[in-house]
Amino acid sequence: MASTTPPPPQPSPSGITVGFDLDMTLIDSRPGIRACYRALAERTGTFIDADLAVTRLGPPLVDELAHWFPAERVGEMADLYRAMYPAFAVEATPALPGAREAVAAVQDAGGRAVVVTAKYEPNAKLHLAHLGIEPDAVIGDLWAEQKALALREHGATVYVGDHVGDVRGARTAGALSVAVATGPCDPAELREAGADVVLTGLAEFPRWFSDYRGNWRPERA
């Protein structure tokens, strides 16, 4: 039976590459998304329970819209939501505690921090620019196992996220799965999904990463 233990980090001229999810990992997107859903409901005359919607962030936008619109309108509503999003969601969305410090911990150590998210990429970049968080790359429109495409492309050996879908993405990529319990999934659910490490939030990440780097030996590759 094949081992499910992720391989050790591989050597890189710029150090370790760490991937980060966006919603509920780096940013608390609930206020902005709630506001955007309410605006969409008002504009379309369709009931959307925005408070319920923000309790299940993580999967693609179209999955949530399918709860409120008929299938033939979901694509159209997704385009409208994304167009409305910058006006309603970006300024309303704060960084989660420790987000800036987590990205900086990787970069200050000579590594690369990449954001891999299911969010529409242009809107993801708007959030990061507004908050002054500057990763080395931002890749959007990827969910769960699809995230492995970007993680492999960028050589990420660690992926940090808040959802079981993020755990699946990390495992598919052969990366270490570091989960933060700041989203809809509790620590037990994240561990059951296969997370290698579970942190309360990103405020704990710099210390964990320092310890992880201390045990990283490129010559093992």
Side-chain angles (χ1 to χ4, degrees), residues 115-212:
V115 172
V116 182
T117 174
K119 189 178 289 297
Y120 180 54
E121 188 173 304
N123 288 340
K125 290 179 177 178
L126 288 176
H127 276 300
L128 294 163
H130 175 71
L131 295 170
I133 298 173
E134 299 181 354
D136 297 279
V138 180
I139 306 94
D141 304 293
L142 296 175
W143 161 240
E145 288 84 355
Q146 296 173 341
K147 294 186 173 188
L149 299 172
L151 295 174
R152 287 170 176 157
E153 179 183 352
H154 287 270
T157 53
V158 178
Y159 185 57
V160 186
D162 66 282
H163 197 283
V164 295
D166 299 322
V167 177
R168 299 204 307 270
R171 304 299 287 185
T172 302
L176 193 79
S177 173
V178 177
V180 286
T182 46
C185 302
D186 64 32
E189 189 176 2
L190 294 164
R191 290 189 188 96
E192 186 177 351
D196 298 292
V197 178
V198 179
L199 306 176
T200 300
L202 284 180
E204 298 176 3
F205 179 85
R207 176 175 290 183
W208 173 85
F209 185 66
S210 177
D211 292 342
Y212 177 72

Side-chain angles (χ1 to χ4, degrees), residues 23-24 28-31 33-34 37-38 48-59 64 67-68 162-164 182-186 189:
D23 287 0
M24 303 312 301
D28 184 353
S29 50
R30 291 171 297 183
I33 289 177
R34 183 185 290 111
Y37 275 131
R38 287 174 175 168
I48 300 174
D49 188 338
D51 291 326
L52 174 60
V54 298
T55 67
R56 48 193 185 199
L57 299 179
E64 183 60 42
H67 292 291
W68 314 109
D162 66 282
H163 197 283
V164 295
T182 46
C185 302
D186 64 32
E189 189 176 2

